[in-house]
Amino acid sequence: MATLLYSANLNDCIARWREEGLMVFGPATTGGVSGFQEVKDAGSLDLDLILTRSTLKELFFPRTEPMLGYRIGKQQIETEEFRPPEGRRIIFGVRPCDAAGMQVDDALFDWDYHDEYWFRRRDSSVIVSIACTHADDFCMCTSLNLSPDSTKGSDVLLRPLLAGNGWQVEALTERGENALASISSLLKEGGDPTAPVADVPVKFDLEACRSWLADPENFESRFWKEISERCIGCGSCTYLCPTCHCFDIQDEGDTYKGIRRKNWDSCSFSLFTMHTSGHNPRATQSARWRQRIMHKFNYFSLKFNVNSCTGCGRCTRECPVDMGVTETLQAISTLQR
Amino acid sequence: MKIVATRDEAPGVRTMRLEFQDPLELEKFKQAYRTGMFGLYGIYGEGESTFCVASPETRNDYIECTFRKSGRVTAALASAEIGDLMTFRGPYGNRFPIEEFHGKNLLFIAGGIALPPTRSVIWSCLDQRDKFGKITIVYGARTVADLVYKQELEEWEKRDDVELVLTVDPGGETPDWKHRVGFVPTILEEAAPAAGNCVAVLCGPPIMIKFTLASLKKLGFEEENVYTTLENRMKCGIGKCGRCNVGSVYVCKEGPVFTAAEVSSMPQADL
Ligand SMILES: Cc1cc2nc3c(=O)[nH]c(=O)nc-3n(C[C@H](O)[C@H](O)[C@H](O)COP(=O)(O)OP(=O)(O)OC[C@H]3O[C@@H](n4cnc5c(N)ncnc54)[C@H](O)[C@@H]3O)c2cc1C
Ligand code: SF4
Ligand code: SF4
Ligand code: SF4
Ligand code: FES
């Protein structure tokens, strides 16, 4: 016997969680753009989407975030520290690849200096993922040693029932168990069969790619220029990636009052590494694309023992010139042979 | 932090001495600061900028920084006055392993505005002079006016336990210039300090570093005995913003101090 949640009860679950003071977020579409939004009822959820356009990451690491406010008076400077909101949240209907992305950024934000902006939100959120029964051509979780029913980074995993009328429920963490405890009366026991997970073919040999990337000989290979000549440096692939985490710090305001903010940034932008002298270590777009690939599949994996890519495929799906990680790694795979 | 003194070093280059307002913060700084580290210095409304801590760990009840006015933040800092308040985050990064230099001869080589990080090591060593052998300082700038720390250069010149070699690029000399004329690597090769039992500390613009490393090699220096600092663009200083990487190295955390051997194992195109 397994624990089941029938779709018919989802609305009541959301209501129950909200009564307990939890905010409920899930995939939803507004103005044609999908992302994780706060929802009041099950009807607002768009659970058929393969993936939302923007990722879960935004709920933990906003596009722009105030760090401190300042006000300059005649004699003194007053400052106010902004802290991330404390509210507890349930994020329902996450895809396994996005959930796995959380663990990647956990590793970075916990490296040496424990980043409160990230972990306050992380520690007060429950991630409820749904295994995928559908994928598209861009999905490639299996190429990254993940799967459409990966449990990495989730607190609860739901597996769709074959009949399409609900999910089998599995708590993976204590936080997940607590979230389920508050809706226990809405859960049922049953032996309903679950639907098979999506078939996601493996697209490249990750280990072979990694060893090619790790070889210093290949750093200045012509390959980089050839594979990335089309890139226009728009940064979409980094902004839509669940694991990309680079940011800038800027003051917004005037000499008297304002806010010091943390804003998303991207290694695809030419000013990202520009020295004041005008020297730019990554002066060409191909050097910047190489950095993105190297960072994800070589440097990050060396340092944190996890690849900084979960195979969601967004970078390829949304790239205006049809580039992406998939194509690059596939090409590297063929260079191997 | 409060600006307690300022000094104009060269056109557009200024040194500021900063004092902590809060004794607890001062204590934390004293515990943490070691020569070689850097900080993020800021002015509200303009932002933050990375400079080394130019004062040595042997003089740690204040911070000195020397910066060139080159952009938004440095322009704001340049117009700040004594008594004004500014922000400081740090100290961040690693340090020069000065204990490992004990008993050795020291060679300092700096170009232009890169004397500040070198200066912090120079003073750390001069403040415990008996622990080291011969100390040679080779410093060059484009023109006489561009030399920074002119007072200290005079002071070092007068000391008989320091050999100071000053140079300016050809054409940068003035009629009364008494020192060398020529590029740092050439002058270094002429001065020909002995490589045996000697540690070299080298700071300067990337192009100068490149040529000077070649000269040091000619003089017989092993890459393991040459230290330098990398100054990639930084924002966070704590290994999060992803900007300062050279290969898999986060310069803000694993640097800014590296041996030349470490630097040559990094992807050169990323430097
Ligand atoms: C470890 C370390 C130690 C350092 N130590 C020193 C030191 O002791 N002294 C010193 O003088 N310097 C030092 N530097 C260099 C120093 O950080 C820079 O000179 C400084 O950040 C310039 O600051 P700024 O804020 O005035 O320039 P910014 O206004 O921040 O601009 C910096 C540069 O970024 C580019 N840029 C930024 N935004 C834009 C835009 N919107 N459009 C076009 N271009 C843009 C430009 O190239 C510009 O010149 C050090 C750097 C590092 C990493
Ligand atoms: S990449 Fe895998 S986990 Fe992600 S949406 Fe596609 S099938 Fe699901
Ligand atoms: S790869 Fe595509 S999405 Fe990414 S920066 Fe280049 S053009 Fe933009
Ligand atoms: S690199 Fe591309 S496929 Fe990988 S996690 Fe980021 S957006 Fe998804
Ligand atoms: S300065 Fe942010 S990672 Fe190094």
Side-chain angles (χ1 to χ4, degrees):
Chain A
M1 291 294 250
T3 310
L4 307 176
L5 166 63
Y6 289 113
S7 313
N9 290 330
L10 182 56
N11 211 31
D12 290 341
C13 289
I14 293 176
R16 187 76 53 87
W17 282 324
R18 287 171 55 84
E19 277 159 27
E20 292 199 352
L22 289 153
M23 289 179 284
V24 182
F25 288 79
T29 305
T30 337
V33 181
S34 56
F36 284 87
Q37 299 170 10
E38 190 177 359
V39 293
K40 300 199 160 56
D41 52 51
S44 319
L45 289 171
D46 203 343
L47 295 176
D48 292 332
L49 285 173
I50 288 181
L51 275 166
T52 49
R53 178 184 258 183
S54 57
T55 69
L56 180 63
K57 170 180 82 176
E58 293 193 29
L59 296 184
F60 298 84
F61 175 25
R63 297 173 195 206
T64 177
E65 172 166 41
M67 299 170 76
L68 59 84
Y70 64 87
R71 187 179 284 276
I72 301 176
K74 278 212 177 65
Q75 297 296 326
Q76 57 183 16
I77 299 177
E78 281 170 42
T79 57
E80 175 198 357
E81 201 181 326
F82 287 100
R83 310 193 104 206
E86 306 249 3
R88 291 184 304 136
R89 310 182 294 187
I90 292 227
I91 305 159
F92 188 91
V94 174
R95 291 298 172 197
C97 51
D98 274 4
M102 301 301 292
Q103 285 196 327
V104 174
D105 285 341
D106 283 348
L108 175 96
F109 287 121
D110 200 24
W111 178 41
D112 195 40
Y113 177 83
H114 186 81
D115 188 314
E116 264 200 44
Y117 291 94
W118 176 265
F119 282 104
R120 280 205 170 218
R121 294 186 170 100
R122 193 73 172 97
D123 295 340
S124 57
S125 302
V126 186
I127 295 182
V128 181
S129 302
I130 302 182
C132 304
T133 49
H134 298 283
D136 66 14
D137 289 347
F138 299 102
C139 287
M140 53 161 190
C141 50
T142 49
S143 307
L144 276 306
N145 301 327
L146 292 163
S147 64
D149 62 350
S150 158
T151 54
K152 290 215 168 80
S154 305
D155 298 297
V156 174
L157 181 71
L158 306 180
R159 289 167 196 280
L161 298 176
L162 190 57
N165 58 345
W167 306 271
Q168 194 186 82
V169 184
E170 184 189 354
L172 300 161
T173 63
E174 202 182 313
R175 241 185 280 164
E177 271 165 26
N178 292 340
L180 293 181
S182 51
I183 53 162
S184 58
S185 62
L186 297 165
L187 300 172
K188 305 276 177 272
E189 294 284 304
D192 305 17
T194 55
V197 296
D199 178 24
V200 182
V202 174
K203 297 193 162 168
F204 47 79
D205 180 345
L206 181 63
E207 283 317 307
C209 291
R210 287 192 50 191
S211 62
W212 189 87
L213 292 170
D215 183 350
E217 288 278 307
N218 297 328
F219 194 80
E220 306 235 36
S221 164
R222 281 175 53 83
F223 168 79
W224 293 113
K225 189 169 171 355
E226 285 161 11
I227 197 78
S228 61
E229 234 158 12
R230 324 201 280 291
C231 175
I232 54 169
C234 69
S236 306
C237 53
T238 54
Y239 279 25
L240 296 173
C241 176
T243 63
C244 278
H245 55 73
C246 290
F247 62 85
D248 190 15
I249 300 173
Q250 287 288 339
D251 282 10
E252 211 178 75
D254 54 31
T255 329
Y256 304 104
K257 65 175 195 333
I259 290 172
R260 185 162 288 175
R261 290 179 165 279
K262 198 170 146 186
N263 302 316
W264 282 4
D265 205 346
S266 164
C267 62
S268 298
F269 298 153
S270 58
L271 293 179
F272 189 64
T273 51
M274 171 90 105
H275 292 198
T276 305
S277 62
H279 169 68
N280 192 351
R282 296 202 280 273
T284 60
Q285 203 57 40
S286 59
R288 300 192 271 275
W289 181 252
R290 173 178 62 199
Q291 167 65 15
R292 185 158 192 264
I293 298 289
M294 286 293 232
H295 190 198
K296 290 195 168 297
F297 301 98
N298 185 15
Y299 311 148
F300 202 94
S301 345
L302 282 176
K303 199 158 235 106
F304 301 113
N305 206 18
V306 52
N307 297 305
S308 165
C309 169
T310 64
C312 71
R314 280 191 186 86
C315 51
T316 317
R317 207 178 272 114
E318 305 284 352
C319 173
V321 300
D322 294 331
M323 273 177 56
V325 158
T326 326
E327 176 197 43
T328 301
L329 293 197
Q330 274 174 330
I332 295 176
S333 289
T334 56
L335 290 174
Q336 299 279 306
R337 281 182 221 128
Chain B
M1 302 205 71
K2 190 180 237 149
I3 302 170
V4 297
T6 66
R7 189 170 73 197
D8 289 321
E9 303 283 0
V13 180
R14 189 184 223 198
T15 297
M16 296 202 299
R17 182 180 290 203
L18 314 172
E19 279 179 8
F20 287 90
Q21 302 285 95
D22 176 352
L24 262 155
E25 291 294 322
L26 171 64
E27 213 35 56
K28 272 203 265 172
F29 174 77
K30 286 179 150 194
Q31 293 286 327
Y33 176 56
R34 296 292 175 270
T35 299
M37 294 179 173
F38 64 91
L40 279 119
Y41 302 76
I43 286 272
Y44 286 120
E46 306 297 341
E48 292 182 317
S49 201
T50 321
F51 315 128
C52 68
V53 177
S55 39
E57 68 190 59
T58 44
R59 305 174 188 187
N60 62 3
D61 20 335
Y62 56 83
I63 291 178
E64 273 178 344
C65 64
T66 300
F67 59 91
R68 188 202 294 277
K69 184 174 153 185
S70 51
R72 186 173 165 189
V73 180
T74 45
L77 285 174
S79 55
E81 289 167 12
I82 293 175
D84 283 356
L85 297 176
M86 55 182 283
T87 61
F88 174 82
R89 282 200 285 131
Y92 295 140
N94 70 351
R95 53 188 293 250
F96 285 98
I98 290 172
E99 305 77 62
E100 292 173 25
F101 302 172
H102 287 176
K104 294 188 174 158
N105 298 331
L106 304 177
L107 168 63
F108 296 99
I109 311 159
I113 175 75
L115 191 55
T118 326
R119 176 219 197 201
S120 70
V121 205
I122 294 177
W123 280 121
S124 274
C125 297
L126 289 180
D127 286 348
Q128 31 179 346
R129 184 65 187 86
D130 54 331
K131 297 209 167 87
F132 309 95
K134 193 169 180 301
I135 294 186
T136 309
I137 302 169
V138 179
Y139 174 51
R142 266 186 304 150
T143 72
V144 175
D146 288 322
L147 294 164
V148 300
Y149 302 132
K150 293 190 178 68
Q151 292 175 10
E152 279 152 80
L153 295 176
E154 269 178 38
E155 215 178 304
W156 295 336
E157 197 184 0
K158 284 193 199 122
R159 289 177 73 132
D160 51 15
D161 57 356
V162 173
E163 190 191 338
L164 180 70
V165 181
L166 289 181
T167 184
V168 292
D169 291 356
E173 69 271 26
T174 50
D176 58 346
W177 177 245
K178 295 187 296 287
H179 301 272
R180 307 290 185 94
V181 175
F183 296 104
V184 168
T186 324
I187 300 299
L188 171 70
E189 285 183 41
E190 282 171 23
N197 195 38
C198 187
V199 168
V201 171
L202 165 63
C203 298
I207 186 81
M208 178 206 124
I209 300 236
K210 196 175 142 208
F211 287 111
T212 310
L213 280 176
S215 299
L216 283 170
K217 201 168 178 184
K218 265 197 224 163
L219 292 170
F221 280 83
E222 304 277 343
E223 284 193 325
E224 286 75 18
N225 296 327
V226 179
Y227 290 81
T228 188
T229 60
L230 292 183
E231 303 197 337
N232 285 54
R233 201 161 154 79
M234 296 182 182
K235 278 289 177 175
C236 70
I238 51 173
K240 310 282 181 224
C241 77
R243 180 174 322 262
C244 66
N245 310 50
V246 178
S248 61
V249 172
Y250 283 75
V251 176
C252 67
K253 285 188 50 77
E254 290 148 86
V257 179
F258 297 97
T259 64
E262 288 167 332
V263 174
S264 57
S265 73
M266 295 173 188
Q268 300 301 298
D270 253 7
L271 286 169

